[in-house]
Amino acid sequence: MTKSENKTAKYNLKSSRASSLNDSKPGFIPIIVLLILWEIAARCDFVSKGLLPPFTEVLSQFYELIKNGILFENLAKSIIRVLAGFSMGALLGILTGTVMGWNKYIDKLFNPLITVFYPVPALGWLPILILYIGIGEALPIAIIFICSFFPVCYNTVCGIKNVDKNYIFAAKTMGASNIRILKTIVFPLALPTIFTGLRLEAGMAWRVIIAAEMVAIPTGIGALMMRAESLIRMDIIIVCLLVLSVMTFIFERFFIRIESVLTKWK
Amino acid sequence: MEIKTKNLSNFILKNLNLNIKDGEIFALLGPNGAGKTTLLNAIAGLIPYDGNVFFNGVPIDDLPTEKRGVGYLFQDLCLLPHMTVFKNIAYPIKNKTNKTIPEKKVLKILKSMNISEFADYYPARLSGGEKQKVAMARVLAAEPRILLLDEPFKSVDFNTAKYMREELKILLKNLKITTIYVTHNFEEAQEMSDRVGILINGEIRGTGKAEEIFFNSVDNEVSNFIGSPNILNIDSLKLLNSGLFEIECGGLNIIAPHNGKKIKKMAIFPKDIVISPRDGQTQKFNQFEGDIIDIVSINSHFKIKIAAGKSILFSEISKAVFNSLKLKQGDKVNINLNLNGIRLN
Amino acid sequence: MKKIAGLLAVLILISACQTKREKSIGMAVEFMNHAACAYVAREKGWFKKEGLRLSAYESYVTGMALASAMVREDIQIAYMCLIPAINVYANAQIPIKILAGTHKYGYGLAVNPNKIKNINDLQKRGLNIGCVREGGAVDVLLHKAMDKYHLNKAKVLKNIRRMNPPKQILAIKSGKLDAAFLPEQWATMAEDYGFKMLLTAKDVWPRMQGSVLVIKDDLLKKRPDIAKKLIAATEKSTAWINANPIQAMNIVSKQMQSTKGVLFPAKAAKLAGKLEINSKVLSRSMNRMDYTGNISSEIIQSTIDYMAKLGYIKKSFKAEEILYDKI
């Protein structure tokens, strides 16, 4: 190998190693740096401990909350609400969106309603729902239902309508009936757009349930946060925020995984 | 299956009347926007139309697309991206039978098209030629009554397309399916079809064998579409040595290779008539003297009308060449014939 | 990554600088007649007479809201309920000292007499019982009541609806609550809407410390003279209230009316305006409280221990840590 060939080989090895490093470098490093800075800032009293307890204290409180069952008890409530509200909202949203996307007359009928209600933030419905439903388990489930239904419906309509018409034409020439085309061509091809909606709303459902529990519901992670706030327990508040972050991440990843299985053709 | 259209009209097509015989491969030629794909879509029932379409004399206008039994190869193939090659081919069969996928039948089709190895692939993984084969296999899998092929080799490279056309022609002849084959390439149409129809601005301007239309067209638009060839009547044919003939036509003695068959006409495209200044030197092979009668500017080139021998010929040159030669009406020039593109009939 | 580290460093520096800035003296009180001695001292000018120049005077609807404000804002002195004060010290880890007491008791359970006849009825299914959030004095009283009368905590807590006192009064007015654990004067106000006082703090928790006067350690260290001045003003004020109950009631009423407009912005003020804190209510309410500056370290200790038992503070601590050593 000549000198220049050797140099080129070394450069290629270095750059390929660098690029593989860049690909495999975990995103944990910024988080670890942040945690270290946090610990230092809290321990050295740069920020009042009341406002920012050290990370290690937060971890210790996390363990305590698991040990005494308070965290699981409240988390379980929140999970059940999210699952119930989201699954109902998403299912109905997909069903309604499919029918609207497929049938232009039904679309014309419902589109104005969806357009009016879609922009209303889910929490905006809280006062009305408190009056109509009262404060019980139905309330958070209803809020999550609303939070999920409209965006999923909207995304489904878009997904169905945006399927290339040529595929539908091709299917017709291959002898497929309208229902068969909807089932085997249009709906599967709309899945990526539908899943975008599901993924986004899965995370949003968690944000909404926390807010609803903070305002109106006596149990759940949000309610636990409010109790912690009135007791000035910043460590518990931070634990709740971390739990919220993890739950949102898990739910979103779940849908990403399902999507990758159902749309592996992409 | 005989196909007939009567006064077929819509936003593009204008009272179109066609008759295609059973088992015939009918090439539909025309420029972009002529209505070729629209015609196919109308026959397939994908778009609304006025007038009638008949299959074997039976009107099918009330039949929805899925009941017409049409095999349609779309211009962009429309392979279902979310289904494997196997499932793509099985799809029309399943629609027909509504039973479980007939695995043996699909595998047989895959084998016959030499695409068995792609059975589990998704279309995104396939090359242009492979996709085209899969699309064709899918179209034939449903055993259609007629075939509509919309520029089937558009996305395939030249050599692959040539080879695939040969295979396709053999296949179609064996299957004896009435086929409408859309293309905008005259050579391809001539190669593939039994008859050709020229569609311009939604109207059929002529149907017949390719050579007939090429050499006998009186319609200016048709002539422009096929390249506006200079058609010369052949006066005599003299063998010079093996394979080389002196062809006398229109006062010009052209030396050209030929197989000796009797010919009546010669076509030379304007782009194959090269103009050069007359420099007084000895005339070369296939170089003749001519006088410029007229010069017309068309877009990015010039059409030069030249009197040469007893003929009036049209040459086509680019603006750059025209400017460099500084030609004007009345100039005496040499015309050099490029025989690569000549056609004999 | 470098950028993130740099940004964080800047933020930390800024907050460090903030703590070093010279702070003006801010005082906070609760929007209740618990803070009567503060209202009276202010009205009579006794804070000024003692040489106390206050740059801010803030009022908060609940002790918890005041406690949160102490953590983040420039409040160095507060007249607040003992229990939120313990939260500030133990949970928020803000070093404070209790300089004096202001009253004993001052909390009660008001009930709809048609639905709740005795304390055991609180366990009935489907009731709506108002109470402030965890960490409030009334909430701790609720737990004390459940302990004393051996009530099923799970059943009672299921009926609890957490809301602040003005919201509870509005809910009582609109028939949405069947009972309410409230601090005075709100507890007495509930009687105006048909409720009856079933229990008071006296019945449940003998010698219960109500509100206290607290000061942040920072200020105390900088100005040790302030403690004496505050204690003097408070003692004077407390004695005057006991000697002149009617005038005291008038002063409190006047102060609360003028505070209402500041406390509740625009629309909320309109709503709160529907709640008449009239002099009869105030008078009855103030009679239910013992205005005294006496403070017992045993009671403070037992309160701290009870809060630790409830899990409101992580662990108990010695009352001496929070009590001003000159008491």
Side-chain angles (χ1 to χ4, degrees), chain C residues 14 27-28 39 46 62 99 133 161 257 271 298 305 307 322 327:
Chain C
I14 289 171
M27 176 186 280
Y39 290 134
W46 289 333
T62 62
L99 296 180
R133 287 198 176 273
R161 307 284 169 251
Q257 290 305 326
L271 205 66
E298 287 88 21
D305 294 340
M307 284 175 72
I322 201 174
I327 291 177

Side-chain angles (χ1 to χ4, degrees), chain A residues 97-104 160-161 168 178-179 181-182 186:
Chain A
T98 303
V99 172
M100 281 175 66
W102 187 242
N103 186 309
K104 63 179 179 201
I160 299 282
K161 281 184 178 179
I168 298 172
N178 277 341
I179 290 294
I181 291 173
L182 177 61
V186 173

Side-chain angles (χ1 to χ4, degrees), chain B residues 308-322:
Chain B
K310 296 178 203 166
S311 307
I312 302 291
L313 299 173
F314 288 92
S315 167
E316 197 178 279
I317 57 173
S318 68
K319 270 193 174 144
V321 172
F322 178 84

Side-chain angles (χ1 to χ4, degrees), chain A residues 37 46 50 227 230-231 233 235, chain C residues 8 15 91-92 134-135 314:
Chain A
L37 286 173
F46 291 143
R227 280 205 290 287
S230 62
L231 290 167
R233 290 293 300 272
D235 49 350
Chain C
L8 270 165
S15 69
N91 292 337
E134 294 86 343
K314 281 188 197 174

Side-chain angles (χ1 to χ4, degrees), chain A residues 186-198:
Chain A
V186 173
F187 190 80
L189 288 178
L191 278 178
T193 311
I194 294 173
F195 267 101
T196 302
L198 286 172

Side-chain angles (χ1 to χ4, degrees), chain C residues 102-116:
Chain C
T102 59
H103 66 89
K104 306 275 184 221
Y105 314 118
Y107 311 93
L109 167 63
V111 301
N112 179 342
N114 299 324
K115 286 201 173 174
I116 297 169

Side-chain angles (χ1 to χ4, degrees), chain B residues 55 84 115 226 257 305 318:
Chain B
F55 284 3
T84 58
I115 49 173
I226 58 179
K305 191 174 178 182
S318 68

Side-chain angles (χ1 to χ4, degrees), chain A residues 1-17:
Chain A
M1 208 184 232
T2 63
K3 235 181 183 177
S4 67
E5 281 173 355
N6 199 20
K7 218 175 177 181
T8 312
K10 272 189 182 164
Y11 173 78
N12 288 339
L13 181 65
K14 212 176 174 184
S15 60
S16 77
R17 224 189 260 151

